[in-house]
Amino acid sequence: MVEHSQDLEEITLLLKRYGGLIPRYTSYPTAAQFVPVSENNKIETWIKDLPKGEPLSLYFHVPFCDELCSFCACNTSVVRHQGTREAYADLLLAELERVAKFAGKDHVVTHLHWGGGTPTTIPKEALASVMAKVAEHFKIDAQAELSIELDPRNIPKGCATYLKEIGFNRVSLGVQDIDPSVQQACGRIQSEKQTEDCVQSMRDAGISSINIDLIYGLPRQTTESVIHTAETIAKLKPERLAVFGYAHVPWKQKRQQLIPEDQLPGLLERLKQRQAIDETLRKSGYIAIGLDHYVLPEDTMAKAAAKGKLRRNFQGYTTDNSGVLIGMGASAISEFAQGLSQNAPSASAYKKAMEKDGLPAYRDVARQGEDLLRARIIERLMCDLAVNLDDFDREKSFEEERKQLAPMIADGLVRVDGKHIHVLEKGRPFIRNVAGVFDQYLKALISIVVPAYNEAQNVAKVFDSLCRAWEGREGEWEMILVDDNSPDGTSRIAKKIAQDDSRLRVIRRIGRRGLTSAVIEGILSSSSHFVAVMDGDGQHDETILPRMLDALVDGTDLVVGTRYAKGGDAGGLSGKYREWLSKFGTKVAQKVSGKKCSDPMSGFFAVK
Ligand code: SF4
């Protein structure tokens, strides 16, 4: 074991303590704060307001692949029709024209990246014409990093040569794992030869900077198998490696339903795999960067990291020094000092949005108050694992944040000297938690309001079932019990639980009664981004709450739990009259809202 080896049992405990879905902080505020765009499209103003000569970073997103991999959560589809691929490239050209019109001509492009999906699904001529249009509108810096993502299983004929001719100097390859059994389980068959040939062809063409993506936590992976993958890939000497943990979200991405869940490694096994890859890559001469990157010592990213000049944006870690990122294509995200903006999410929505004038923004968030200050602090922590708060604001004490770091100091994750914060090697897997201390929006993501009257028998059961439903996502939720002064002592029992567990809050209403007002009072007491409402008698299926939250985070306005879904139960409607009343109410609600919601009267819903 190398010096930084850790007691995995201890890390498991730490993960439980600091668990939860903490953002990856590729931006601040994060995507959870995005709201639908208003009539006044902010991104157009932000581009118009760019100072003359401001360096730009450009991103082009292509949501098409040649074949789909079951593990992948990206919003992509297979489009074989050449005409459709060309038509999409035409939309990118049109969007680029609009961006250039707002920006003016005197900007220098310092970074440019094509991601997806598989951007080489765009035909060579179309790719070349978008790049030529970039050069027509902007000056491309001589040192600019021009990169593109590749799928080694589907490299178009002559690809390396034409990418070089078009101007690309960096490529990023998906590999994930080389074990045939793992590849079969995660629906991506890619031979070692395909990977080697791809790397070699790029180098032969003169594209010498190569990144390879690996993933741990996939079905059938073992510590031994990930070591073998890391050793084999390290022998190819890619300049950079990104090592991500597999996120299993089949309710979000249907194709992940093909993943054999019973063959997924558990939490401890995942940690062992992460550590095994880390040790293997360090032994092979790589330097660990931030949360999940490894680079050769001579790579520009290693140099940027050594000088404290590493940056983080939507593409992950970067050496890009530009303060402005303009994303084009479906779902692409742009970043400015003033805020962040995202394009229409799917290829079809993007096409529709491009039929109107202006830029195809779909949701955005304007930075306000301390957002920019906090964005910079979080970025330094994520990049350098250290920050001197005085570099950002000498006047501000950050007393509250430093208090919040106390448990992490006690756990040996962080050292604090005055206003210097250092994340220790043991704390590397928890950088996001340290950064999260400076995230003003990171409260419980969702408050679950439970109105109650005489539920003394049920209150502990409901809270326990919520704890189980949110296992592994501890930081994300809280339960707000609103009790109408029940004579059976509901509040007393709930308060006893709340003394030991801050995820439960209790509101006892004296002299006020009624379900509707209890729900409203519970919602008003929440400062979370999302609110759910469920019954206090355990009739609603709490296990679907994480999925309801994910749907809200993805932009859905209202999610209703229905009793008419497969496995649902409308048995709570005792008597023919109540059943008829519920059906009648459903019909009225559907008519009024114009939405085909099967059970608007279920009383189990979540909203933003
Ligand atoms: S991993 Fe790459 S090739 Fe596979 S579906 Fe995702 S984007 Fe497409």
Side-chain angles (χ1 to χ4, degrees), residues 8 19 59-60 102 108 120 163 196 210 226 247 263 308 311 331 341 389 429-430 471 473 483 503 506-507 522 553 598:
L8 290 166
Y59 173 73
F60 294 95
F102 287 119
V108 181
T120 48
L163 288 182
E196 285 164 15
I210 290 171
V226 297
Q263 294 170 22
R311 301 289 312 278
S331 78
S341 174
L389 298 173
F430 305 98
E471 210 168 66
R473 298 176 66 165
D483 174 45
R503 291 172 297 183
V506 184
I507 298 172
V553 170
S598 65

Side-chain angles (χ1 to χ4, degrees), residues 61-80 85 116-118 121 151 153-154 176 183-190 253-259:
H61 188 81
V62 179
F64 307 142
C65 296
D66 288 301
E67 48 189 311
L68 296 179
C69 318
S70 347
F71 72 88
C72 177
C74 297
N75 187 10
T76 56
S77 58
V78 172
V79 171
R80 302 221 179 274
R85 295 176 175 195
T118 307
T121 51
D151 175 357
R153 301 167 301 169
N154 295 287
Q176 329 311 352
Q183 291 189 357
Q184 196 192 32
C186 64
R188 182 186 173 109
I189 307 295
Q190 178 175 322
Q253 180 48 272
K254 280 216 165 81
R255 70 178 83 115
Q256 286 190 347
Q257 288 171 3
L258 297 170
I259 293 287

Side-chain angles (χ1 to χ4, degrees), residues 36 530-531 551-560 595 605-608:
F530 305 104
V531 181
L552 293 174
V553 170
D554 282 349
T556 306
D557 294 323
L558 168 70
V559 186
V560 180
K595 301 279 176 215
F605 61 91
V607 285
K608 193 163 185 171

Side-chain angles (χ1 to χ4, degrees), residues 71 153 174-195 213-233 263 269 273 277:
F71 72 88
R153 301 167 301 169
V175 171
Q176 329 311 352
D177 192 288
I178 60 166
D179 185 305
S181 163
V182 174
Q183 291 189 357
Q184 196 192 32
C186 64
R188 182 186 173 109
I189 307 295
Q190 178 175 322
S191 69
E192 282 178 49
K193 184 161 184 334
Q194 283 173 318
T195 304
D213 289 347
L214 300 180
I215 295 186
Y216 64 89
L218 289 168
R220 299 187 192 159
Q221 274 182 327
T222 62
T223 308
E224 292 69 34
S225 79
V226 297
I227 289 174
H228 177 60
T229 292
E231 279 173 350
T232 308
I233 294 302
Q263 294 170 22
E269 189 53 34
Q273 291 173 7
I277 296 173

Side-chain angles (χ1 to χ4, degrees), residues 412-466:
L413 308 181
V414 172
R415 195 181 74 234
V416 177
D417 306 317
K419 285 168 85 177
H420 284 251
I421 298 168
H422 306 266
V423 181
L424 304 175
E425 196 53 49
K426 183 177 169 186
R428 190 184 285 271
F430 305 98
I431 309 174
R432 292 186 285 171
N433 298 73
V434 182
V437 165
F438 293 89
D439 181 348
Q440 278 190 313
Y441 302 98
L442 191 68
K443 306 165 187 106
L445 250 185
I446 188 164
S447 298
I448 300 148
V449 175
V450 181
Y453 187 71
N454 282 345
E455 298 289 2
Q457 299 282 327
N458 292 319
V459 63
K461 282 187 218 152
V462 169
F463 183 68
D464 278 353
S465 62
L466 283 174

Side-chain angles (χ1 to χ4, degrees), residues 383-600:
C383 291
D384 304 341
L385 279 77
V387 71
N388 178 5
L389 298 173
D390 274 343
D391 289 347
F392 299 94
D393 191 336
R394 282 187 170 276
E395 305 302 314
K396 199 170 161 59
S397 69
F398 294 100
E399 202 53 48
E400 187 50 41
E401 287 79 2
R402 287 194 283 164
K403 256 191 239 159
Q404 284 182 47
L405 288 171
M408 297 183 202
I409 298 170
D411 284 327
L413 308 181
V414 172
R415 195 181 74 234
V416 177
D417 306 317
K419 285 168 85 177
H420 284 251
I421 298 168
H422 306 266
V423 181
L424 304 175
E425 196 53 49
K426 183 177 169 186
R428 190 184 285 271
F430 305 98
I431 309 174
R432 292 186 285 171
N433 298 73
V434 182
V437 165
F438 293 89
D439 181 348
Q440 278 190 313
Y441 302 98
L442 191 68
K443 306 165 187 106
L445 250 185
I446 188 164
S447 298
I448 300 148
V449 175
V450 181
Y453 187 71
N454 282 345
E455 298 289 2
Q457 299 282 327
N458 292 319
V459 63
K461 282 187 218 152
V462 169
F463 183 68
D464 278 353
S465 62
L466 283 174
C467 293
R468 280 196 302 278
W470 291 93
E471 210 168 66
R473 298 176 66 165
E474 277 78 8
E476 292 181 52
W477 67 281
E478 64 173 359
M479 169 173 156
I480 302 175
L481 184 95
V482 188
D483 174 45
D484 281 358
N485 199 22
S486 307
D488 72 345
T490 301
S491 287
R492 185 174 36 80
I493 294 171
K495 279 182 178 163
K496 206 155 180 289
I497 301 170
Q499 272 170 6
D500 296 326
D501 200 322
S502 60
R503 291 172 297 183
L504 176 60
R505 289 201 286 127
V506 184
I507 298 172
R508 183 179 172 202
R509 305 200 309 163
I510 298 173
R512 303 192 296 286
R513 276 267 168 96
L515 183 66
T516 310
S517 65
V519 168
I520 292 171
E521 206 158 319
I523 291 175
L524 289 177
S525 79
S526 161
S527 53
S528 303
H529 218 66
F530 305 104
V531 181
V533 176
M534 65 179 275
D535 278 356
D537 56 7
Q539 283 209 30
H540 291 144
D541 178 6
E542 72 289 337
T543 61
I544 65 168
L545 278 164
R547 272 188 270 172
M548 292 166 84
L549 172 62
D550 288 336
L552 293 174
V553 170
D554 282 349
T556 306
D557 294 323
L558 168 70
V559 186
V560 180
T562 172
R563 292 162 290 190
Y564 303 114
K566 201 171 160 205
D569 179 10
L573 299 174
S574 51
K576 287 258 176 267
Y577 176 68
R578 284 195 64 193
E579 203 177 313
W580 174 85
L581 204 60
S582 171
K583 283 187 178 155
F584 177 71
T586 298
K587 287 223 154 51
V588 172
Q590 286 174 344
K591 198 98 191 144
V592 171
S593 67
K595 301 279 176 215
K596 276 228 161 249
C597 177
S598 65
D599 196 7

